[in-house]
Amino acid sequence: MSEALVLVSNSGAVRTLTLNRPASLNSFTGAMHAQLLVALNDAAADVAVRAIIITGAGRGFCAGQDLSDPDMAMAAGAAPDIGAVIERHYVPLAQRLRAMPVPVIAAVNGVAAGAGANFALGCDMVIAARSASFIQAFSKIGLVPDCAGTWLLPRLVGRARALGLAMTGDKLPAEEAQRIGMIWQCVDDAALIDSAMALATKLAALPTKALADTRLALDASSMLDHGQALALEASMQRELGHAHDFAEGVAAFLAKRSPSFSDR
């Protein structure tokens, strides 16, 4: 049986995926990519799952690509085809995250570097331990941000900060990441998992389809003009307005009771 490089656990409607290569700060290998994609696909297909937490085992979240992985090895003196590695592993990972039917929370413990940082930022919400940090380490080895980093960073923090972080490769502490709006929340280390679980539990009780459509609409908005954004909103509201959760939400509001949402 292959080693479990991604641990899976459930708490009610919340599924937690834990990257499990702690001795290597959970850096990505081809094998871990494969297991992570299966775990995300399984969660997407399981109607009992209404929110996901992704975290790391040990003292780090994810240190990015493992440069000792066979995918990165020199072949007979030739440089590795990093583009092929991106296309084979990181493109499917980034696309899977943005198409999840439920909200995804990154609970960042310790360092999130390189693709590990951008993997976290690709989740819907990021909660980080106070000791955590984010490092765009690519420039230090002659590369550019990947795992959608070039798309995510300017949208999160603006062009000036995105270029500064990417070009210098400097460490960004979690508290500063929250201050500049790159992540949702920074919490004490001991409170990280409880805080992530509380947020995931809250999101799991909300109308899941509406949350996923909210992500889709916000992602699309930067590529739409004002009229196109209005049209997309109308289209989404038309569909959601015919769904069970809208009727349930209105009925619960009028009856002054707690709603019970079930669409996904």
Side-chain angles (χ1 to χ4, degrees):
M1 182 179 293
S2 60
E3 181 182 4
L5 303 177
V6 178
L7 305 178
V8 180
S9 62
N10 296 295
S11 177
V14 177
R15 177 161 297 177
T16 299
L17 307 181
T18 303
L19 307 181
N20 189 38
R21 298 188 69 234
S24 302
L25 292 176
N26 303 311
S27 54
F28 285 118
T29 62
M32 191 166 84
H33 269 292
Q35 292 188 27
L36 180 57
L37 195 58
V38 167
L40 288 169
N41 286 336
D42 287 348
D46 189 341
V47 296
V49 175
R50 296 180 61 84
I52 295 169
I53 297 170
I54 301 176
T55 193
R59 58 190 179 90
F61 177 77
C62 178
Q65 175 64 39
D66 187 335
L67 298 179
S68 68
D69 191 54
D71 281 344
M72 300 294 291
M74 299 286 186
D81 187 345
I82 300 176
V85 175
I86 298 297
E87 291 168 349
R88 184 162 59 250
H89 297 309
Y90 290 99
V91 170
L93 176 60
Q95 291 177 333
R96 174 69 278 184
L97 277 181
R98 301 312 270 189
M100 290 298 289
V102 299
V104 182
I105 298 165
V108 177
N109 54 308
V111 68
N118 295 331
F119 169 58
L121 298 178
C123 296
D124 296 317
M125 301 177 76
V126 181
I127 295 182
R130 206 165 301 281
S131 66
S133 59
F134 299 83
I135 309 171
Q136 296 293 324
F138 305 92
S139 64
K140 296 181 178 180
I141 56 172
L143 298 175
V144 301
D146 57 31
C147 201
T150 59
W151 190 90
L152 291 162
L153 284 171
R155 285 166 172 78
L156 290 169
V157 299
R159 183 177 185 274
R161 282 197 175 103
L163 278 171
L165 291 168
M167 287 184 171
T168 65
D170 287 348
K171 179 187 292 187
L172 184 71
E175 288 185 337
E176 180 67 4
Q178 177 183 315
R179 190 189 71 79
I180 66 175
M182 195 172 86
I183 66 171
W184 174 248
Q185 191 176 23
C186 172
V187 300
D188 290 339
D189 287 28
L192 176 64
I193 297 303
D194 286 347
S195 297
M197 184 60 70
L199 177 58
T201 301
K202 177 180 181 178
L203 295 177
L206 292 173
T208 304
K209 180 66 164 61
L211 299 184
D213 277 3
T214 298
R215 177 209 301 135
L216 180 62
L218 290 177
D219 283 351
S221 66
S222 62
M223 296 173 279
L224 303 176
D225 62 29
H226 187 258
Q228 291 169 327
L230 286 169
L232 178 60
E233 290 169 0
S235 175
M236 287 181 166
Q237 300 293 52
R238 179 175 293 112
E239 179 183 0
L240 291 169
H242 286 96
H244 164 270
D245 280 354
F246 173 70
E248 167 62 11
V250 172
F253 176 79
L254 294 175
K256 295 181 172 56
R257 62 172 173 81
S258 297
S260 178
F261 297 117
S262 59
D263 292 338
R264 186 175 180 279

